[in-house]
Amino acid sequence: MSDLVDRINAVRREVGGRTLPGGDATTVVLRRSYPYPVEDLWDACTAPERIARWLAPVSGDLRLGGRYQLEGNAGGEVLRCEPPTLISVSWIFGEAPEGTSEVTVRLTAQETDGGGSATLFELEHAAVPDPSFWDEYGPGAVGVGWDLALLGLDHHLDGADLPREEEMHLVPEGRAFILASCERWGEAHVASGVPEADAGRSAGNTAAFYAPPPPRERLNARHPTPTDARRRSRPAPAAS
């Protein structure tokens, strides 16, 4: 349990906004430091054989202007590629139009306290949201998914066995990780200027999405679980 809590606490989260070609977007940002050189992080985030080990199998061309597709997840175009510090891609689900969702990863070389190589990892997901979806779930809809993805990256970089994503919400440690992530995104939502009551309601809905209560608890639940909650282990689409 303490290991998962440490991993949750290692990430700094922010909620904001910026403009995309498709309109005004909301942003979720995750930052954390890794005790590995920037070249290793770059390879883990851009080499297809390594992406498959912590995120999902990927096909296509991960070069500037190339197109890619993650198995069972998003696809799009490589918009910027500046090895080994920055890659930005469109992040499109289904029939959503281009210009409405982008993911950018920035890597900055650092040093550990002992003088070794380290890297500041920053991931920003900007998307033009469906207003009703954002109102119901807030930033956690994509933020929790990215926390789960970074948990996979953590284990991959450490050479540890990856947690079984489809079972995360079923085991106490995994459920605690998901609920802690929902709470942290609720706090980031409040820090962005949203009233605490609204952020708390959205965080609660997100928790029910990613970690629905056990069957006995569901009998007394006030809110139904979204019908597609089984896709909880990947960042959910925020664009319409």
Side-chain angles (χ1 to χ4, degrees), residues 2 18 33 40 77 94 116 124 146 180 183 215:
S2 60
R18 67 180 178 90
S33 293
D40 191 23
E77 180 183 353
E124 177 197 71
W146 283 118
E183 181 179 353

Side-chain angles (χ1 to χ4, degrees), residues 8 99 132:
I8 280 284
S132 61

